[in-house]
Amino acid sequence: SLQASGPHYPGESGRHGGASAAIGGTVSATTNSSGYANIPSMQLTYAGYAYRIIASASSLTSAESADVQVQVGPVERATVVREASGLVASVPYLWQPIAAVSDAGGNWISGQSVMVQSEAIISCPDTSDPACNSFGNGTILSDDGVARFTDLGVYYAGTVQLRFKLLSVSDCGGVSCWT
């Protein structure tokens, strides 16, 4: 079996701080005649520092790698950093949402200027009601990989779900590009 452990960013106390990475891809291998195992498609979920890969098998001594540095992947999606809150009908959210440009694992990719689109899914009793709409600038350009919305709101004070996507990305690895 394989495990990955270690902090993602030194001193981070946020979303991924201090937690173990999830391993994906092929996580098993057979050793060659020299006793080495090649695992070409193993993936760690989050970029970070000081990961160690620990391999173990029944009746064998576990082996631990040296530190492994995981690099941020390509731009793939918008990750919600702060949800919108403070909903009052016909007034912009008191706390506007913030989304980050990220890779498939949710790692922020700085230096990116891409268009981020928001969409409000509103649960109205009558969806044809003109009050069952959102308002504000729902598409903005990210600055250093961060999209800070400023004037989003809804006319209806019911249940609302906000979701986000990057306009420059059309393929999100077989899953919805909306987050």
Side-chain angles (χ1 to χ4, degrees):
S1 72
L2 296 171
Q3 299 173 333
S5 64
H8 301 288
Y9 302 101
E12 181 192 50
S13 60
R15 190 169 95 120
H16 305 309
S20 293
I23 293 181
T26 302
V27 294
S28 63
T30 304
T31 58
N32 63 21
S33 60
S34 301
Y36 291 97
N38 183 19
I39 309 169
S41 66
M42 184 180 78
Q43 303 167 350
L44 291 172
T45 310
Y46 307 119
Y49 301 93
Y51 282 110
R52 295 202 177 208
I53 307 300
I54 303 164
S56 61
S58 61
S59 73
L60 295 176
T61 303
S62 295
E64 186 173 318
S65 72
D67 288 353
V68 175
Q69 173 65 43
V70 178
Q71 301 297 317
V72 174
V75 170
E76 187 165 307
R77 62 184 346 102
T79 298
V80 177
V81 176
R82 182 177 71 193
E83 297 281 350
S85 61
L87 172 63
V88 176
S90 301
V91 175
Y93 290 104
L94 183 57
W95 291 280
Q96 292 289 315
I98 298 174
V101 176
S102 63
D103 65 8
N107 299 296
W108 168 55
I109 304 174
S110 64
Q112 299 295 311
S113 293
V114 298
M115 297 302 288
V116 180
Q117 180 180 1
S118 68
E119 179 181 66
I121 300 170
I122 307 167
S123 296
C124 297
D126 178 7
T127 55
S128 66
D129 184 343
C132 192
N133 282 304
S134 61
F135 62 86
N137 187 2
T139 303
I140 63 172
L141 183 65
S142 67
D143 179 22
D144 196 24
V146 179
R148 292 173 176 84
F149 292 86
T150 59
D151 62 350
L152 297 181
V154 294
Y155 295 110
Y156 177 79
T159 303
V160 178
Q161 174 196 359
L162 283 179
R163 61 187 194 164
F164 304 88
K165 74 175 182 177
L166 306 178
L167 293 182
S168 61
V169 177
S170 60
D171 180 13
C172 295
V175 297
S176 172
C177 292
W178 288 100
T179 58

